[in-house]
């Protein structure tokens, strides 16, 4: 029943590791997003994909690489994790042309 | 740069009290405005939105917000809160795509934590 689901919900890892967060939506939306919520609670867009094509790429280190195998999935892969990557990462989706986003529950990444 | 400000970091109320959470945005011109709520351990959920028309917007769970263009504000209100309203509330703004905005690029405030005492 979950509209936008992310896995894992919690992820604890060491500096330098590579990790992925997966996102899937079953709403029939064609646009998906990754947002990052930092320790000060600011939510900021990182990427958006429309029909598997990248349309927004904010100033994000190239250690972050989104991958969209199809319209219903947008995964986030992070290489060489750093302490500053610790945050909650939210996936979201919407219909093309609509500014109303449906969010997932977030994935809390802790880098030690 | 465009920004959204929520002045209250943490609000504590007793049940049945009235609620008003402040939100100000820095966009000039046409803007889309949103309030999202995040209950503990759950996803961000849309409470209400304003795109155009009547500046008094009604949302789910008895919430409403008023868009006051002259004050660049979009405050959230509820006449009588319940314990189940305990959550984090986020105000967000975006430029509509037909006014040069990027789809889905919402600028969020830092959130206001609401604690309702039973």
């Amino acid at each position: 029943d979950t509209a936008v689901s992310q896995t894992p919900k919690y992820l604890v890892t060491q500096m330098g590791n590579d990790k992925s967060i997966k996102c899937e939506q079953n709403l029939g939306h064609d646009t998906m997003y990754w947002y990052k919520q930092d320790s000060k609670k600011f939510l900021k867009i990182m990427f958006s994909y429309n029909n598997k094509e990248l349309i927004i790429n904010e100033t994000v280190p190239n250690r972050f690489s989104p991958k969209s195998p199809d319209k219903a999935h947008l995964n986030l892969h992070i290489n060489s994790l750093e302490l500053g990557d610790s945050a909650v990462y939210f996936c979201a989706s919407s219909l093309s042309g609509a500014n109303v986003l449906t969010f997932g529950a977030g994935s809390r990444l802790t880098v030690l | 740069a465009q920004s959204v400000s929520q002045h209250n970091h943490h609000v504590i109320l007793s049940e049945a009290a009235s609620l008003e959470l402040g939100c100000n945005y820095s966009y000039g011109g046409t803007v889309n405005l949103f309030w999202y709520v995040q209950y503990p351990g759950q996803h961000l959920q849309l409470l209400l939105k304003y795109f155009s028309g009547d500046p008094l917007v009604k949302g789910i769970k008895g919430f409403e917000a008023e868009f006051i263009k002259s004050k660049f504000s979009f405050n959230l209100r509820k006449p009588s809160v319940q314990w189940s309203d305990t959550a984090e509330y986020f105000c967000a703004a975006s430029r509509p795509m037909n006014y040069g905005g990027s789809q889905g690029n919402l600028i969020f405030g830092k959130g206001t934590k609401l604690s309702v005492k039973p």
Side-chain angles (χ1 to χ4, degrees):
Chain A
D1 280 317
T2 305
V4 180
S5 59
Q6 305 177 220
T7 53
K9 196 166 183 179
Y10 299 97
L11 184 55
V12 180
T13 188
Q14 301 284 335
M15 274 175 54
N17 284 350
D18 303 337
K19 290 293 177 186
S20 293
I21 306 172
K22 296 185 176 181
C23 179
E24 176 181 5
Q25 53 93 6
N26 62 5
L27 296 166
H29 291 167
D30 54 7
T31 307
M32 295 185 72
Y33 313 83
W34 278 107
Y35 273 77
K36 179 181 178 180
Q37 185 180 44
D38 62 22
S39 57
K40 295 182 180 177
K41 291 289 187 89
F42 273 118
L43 261 165
K44 191 174 178 188
I45 194 167
M46 299 172 69
F47 302 102
S48 73
Y49 267 73
N50 177 259
N51 281 316
K52 303 194 298 175
E53 284 191 32
L54 181 67
I55 55 173
I56 291 178
N57 182 0
E58 290 295 305
T59 308
V60 175
N62 57 15
R63 297 181 295 102
F64 289 78
S65 53
K67 286 186 172 53
S68 181
D70 56 56
K71 285 194 308 184
H73 295 83
L74 181 62
N75 303 324
L76 183 65
H77 189 75
I78 316 170
N79 289 329
S80 304
L81 279 157
E82 299 177 359
L83 292 176
D85 297 332
S86 294
V88 182
Y89 293 85
F90 285 93
C91 179
S93 70
S94 74
L95 284 170
S96 184
N99 242 353
V100 180
L101 275 58
T102 301
F103 283 85
S107 296
R108 181 177 293 276
L109 171 64
T110 303
V111 182
L112 303 175
Chain B
Q2 294 142 349
S3 65
V4 173
S5 301
Q6 293 180 244
H7 308 295
N8 310 106
H9 176 62
H10 189 185
V11 172
I12 303 172
L13 295 173
S14 297
E15 275 196 316
S18 65
L19 170 72
E20 180 158 2
L21 301 182
C23 173
N24 289 92
Y25 61 94
S26 67
Y27 289 67
T30 303
V31 64
N32 294 157
L33 295 160
F34 309 84
W35 275 98
Y36 280 86
V37 60
Q38 187 177 24
Y39 298 103
Q42 295 189 28
H43 62 280
L44 276 161
Q45 181 181 357
L46 182 67
L47 268 181
L48 47 79
K49 63 184 186 293
Y50 172 80
F51 282 6
S52 63
D54 188 344
L56 186 61
V57 179
K58 296 210 183 288
I60 60 171
K61 306 186 186 219
F63 286 91
E64 65 178 32
E66 186 175 12
F67 169 56
I68 303 180
K69 191 173 181 179
S70 60
K71 294 185 178 180
F72 295 89
S73 71
F74 190 56
N75 292 355
L76 181 71
R77 299 195 292 246
K78 186 171 184 179
S80 175
V81 293
Q82 301 170 316
W83 177 78
S84 58
D85 293 324
T86 295
E88 189 107 26
Y89 291 81
F90 292 91
C91 182
S94 71
R95 176 83 69 205
M97 285 181 288
N98 55 345
Y99 285 86
S102 302
Q103 182 181 338
N105 190 357
L106 273 59
I107 307 297
F108 280 86
K110 288 171 70 171
T112 298
K113 183 176 179 181
L114 172 66
S115 298
V116 180
K117 297 183 291 185

